């Protein structure tokens, strides 16, 4: 990673430099992840759900544009910087590259000093998610789903700090997407057992998040929450409605497979798990899907 010798302040300054307003938000994020965090085009492409060649071309264009464009005084680049930190954390969180997640949290602490509600909310979200880091993968390197995790392994100091930060952000009275996601993470973090999870509240929060930042992935997460609150049949209806838009997203197929399995439709579940397996990119996810596929007779 190219940024480790810089101070947090210098790292954020470089992020702001890459997040030039002449670029689209997506290009700003991609360029910063590539230039500062050292992520490859393939890693960034996975975060954006696009092809590697497509991302390589976008990075080349963004680099030429940013380096040759003049500054725009007074333009707020903070939203792009927050998005960079969020995706950097997600790359470390989803791929079990803990150093990336740790660095994202360290940088988020710097920008949270600004007292911006969304910056505080983002730090809260990261801490609440990162609290589960030691429970997400077994000693053999296998993925452990949230409902099966040993909650005694969760880092309570991260949860406590995340909850305090979320309360501080909420006092501003202007909840944004990161605050809402932090509130969802808080629902999971404060449930003593998986069966104690307040799924109706989570479904409602995803509804709020959809109004703030509409996307099919958020709709998928809402479908999961509704499937947990109202039963797999209700969730499956919503997932099937998203199938065309998320056909290349392995978690859509995995979610659909899980609902089908819970409904006893084993043959269809096996087909959906096989589709998810063909699209999954990390080894722990692939091993998990292989186990599920075998359980359903695939």
């Amino acid at each position: 990673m190219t940024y480790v010798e810089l101070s947090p302040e210098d790292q954020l300054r470089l992020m702001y430099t890459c997040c030039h307003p002449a670029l689209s938000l997506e290009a700003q994020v991609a360029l910063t992840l590539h230039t500062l965090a050292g992520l490859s085009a393939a890693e960034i492409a996975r975060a954006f759900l696009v092809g590697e060649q497509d991302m390589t071309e976008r990075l080349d264009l963004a680099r030429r544009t940013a380096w040759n464009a003049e500054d725009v005084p007074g333009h707020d680049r903070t939203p792009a910087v927050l998005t960079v930190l969020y995706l950097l954390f997600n790359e470390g969180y989803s791929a079990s590259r803990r150093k990336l997640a740790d660095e994202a949290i360290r940088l988020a602490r710097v920008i949270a000093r600004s007292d911006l509600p969304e910056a505080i909310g983002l730090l809260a979200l990261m801490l609440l998610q990162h609290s589960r880091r030691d429970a997400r993968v077994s000693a053999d390197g296998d993925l452990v789903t949230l409902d099966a995790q040993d909650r005694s392994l969760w880092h309570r100091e991260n949860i406590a700090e995340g909850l305090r930060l979320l309360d501080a952000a909420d006092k501003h009275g202007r909840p944004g997407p990161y605050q809402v996601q932090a509130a969802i993470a808080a629902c999971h973090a404060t449930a003593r057992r998986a069966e104690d999870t307040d799924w109706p509240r989570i479904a409602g929060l995803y509804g709020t998040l959809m109004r703030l930042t509409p996307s099919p992935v958020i709709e998928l997460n809402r479908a999961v929450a509704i499937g947990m609150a109202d039963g797999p049949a209700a969730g499956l209806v919503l997932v099937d409605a998203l199938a065309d838009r998320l056909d290349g997203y392995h978690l859509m197929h995995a979610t659909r497979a899980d609902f089908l399995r819970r409904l006893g439709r084993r043959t269809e579940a096996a087909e959906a798990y096989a589709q998810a397996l063909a699209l999954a990119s990390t080894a722990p996810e692939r091993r998990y899907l292989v186990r599920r596929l075998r359980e359903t007779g695939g």
Side-chain angles (χ1 to χ4, degrees):
M1 293 179 287
T2 61
Y3 53 79
V4 292
E5 296 181 356
L6 299 175
S7 69
E9 289 77 8
D10 286 341
Q11 292 170 38
L12 284 173
R13 191 174 296 113
L14 182 53
M15 284 187 180
Y16 274 88
T17 299
C18 289
C19 294
H20 196 285
L23 303 174
S24 67
L25 178 59
E26 181 180 273
Q28 293 170 6
V29 172
L31 182 60
T32 307
L33 289 172
H34 186 64
T35 303
L36 181 62
L39 269 66
S40 68
E43 290 170 320
I44 301 170
R46 185 166 63 249
F48 282 98
L49 304 179
V50 300
E52 181 179 353
Q53 182 60 38
D54 185 13
M55 181 53 65
T56 298
E57 294 172 358
R58 294 187 196 187
L59 284 169
D60 289 340
L61 177 60
R63 190 180 298 108
R64 291 195 302 270
T65 302
W67 286 186
N68 296 323
E70 295 182 358
D71 195 15
V72 179
H75 181 82
D76 184 11
R77 304 186 189 186
T78 302
V81 172
L82 294 179
T83 303
V84 166
L85 294 177
Y86 182 53
L87 288 178
L88 180 58
F89 174 80
N90 279 346
E91 180 62 29
Y93 181 77
S94 63
S96 298
R97 296 171 60 182
R98 187 171 298 182
K99 287 185 178 180
L100 286 179
D102 289 339
E103 286 298 325
I105 290 172
R106 188 167 70 90
L107 291 169
R109 289 189 184 281
V110 176
I111 198 168
R113 297 172 192 165
S114 64
D115 205 35
L116 292 170
E118 273 293 80
I120 299 170
L122 176 59
L123 178 57
L125 171 61
M126 289 179 178
L127 289 168
L128 290 167
Q129 297 279 48
H130 205 47
S131 70
R132 303 197 297 267
R133 60 189 176 272
D134 292 333
R136 296 184 66 248
V137 179
S138 72
D140 296 328
D142 291 332
L143 181 68
V144 182
T145 55
L146 181 58
D147 62 306
Q149 288 178 12
D150 180 353
R151 299 186 179 217
S152 69
L153 297 177
W154 291 4
H155 291 255
R156 296 296 162 182
E157 69 279 8
N158 289 155
I159 294 173
E161 184 181 2
L163 294 175
R164 288 196 301 270
L165 288 165
L166 182 57
D167 286 342
D170 287 344
K171 289 177 181 178
H172 290 268
R174 302 188 306 275
Y178 294 123
Q179 289 172 252
V180 175
Q181 290 179 76
I184 293 169
C187 288
H188 292 296
T190 55
R192 296 186 62 182
R193 303 173 303 166
E195 53 267 35
D196 297 331
T197 306
D198 190 348
W199 286 109
R201 172 166 167 74
I202 292 174
L205 287 167
Y206 272 120
T208 300
L209 191 58
M210 282 174 56
R211 291 191 290 273
L212 292 171
T213 55
S215 86
V217 173
I218 293 173
E219 289 184 58
L220 177 64
N221 289 331
R222 178 173 173 269
V224 171
I226 289 175
M228 295 302 295
D230 299 334
L236 182 61
V237 170
L238 298 175
V239 172
D240 282 344
L242 295 167
D244 289 342
R245 284 184 288 166
L246 291 175
D247 188 55
Y249 188 43
H250 75 284
L251 290 180
M252 185 278 291
H253 293 287
T255 300
R256 186 170 181 274
D258 186 62
F259 285 148
L260 289 166
R261 178 184 60 82
R262 289 166 58 194
L263 289 167
R265 295 160 62 177
R266 293 170 59 86
T267 300
E268 293 171 90
E271 292 173 356
Y273 279 128
Q275 289 176 293
L277 179 60
L279 295 167
S281 57
T282 69
E285 287 177 323
R286 291 182 62 82
R287 287 195 295 270
Y288 169 79
L289 291 167
V290 167
R291 290 199 309 273
R292 284 298 198 193
L293 185 58
R294 289 171 179 166
E295 289 170 4
T296 53

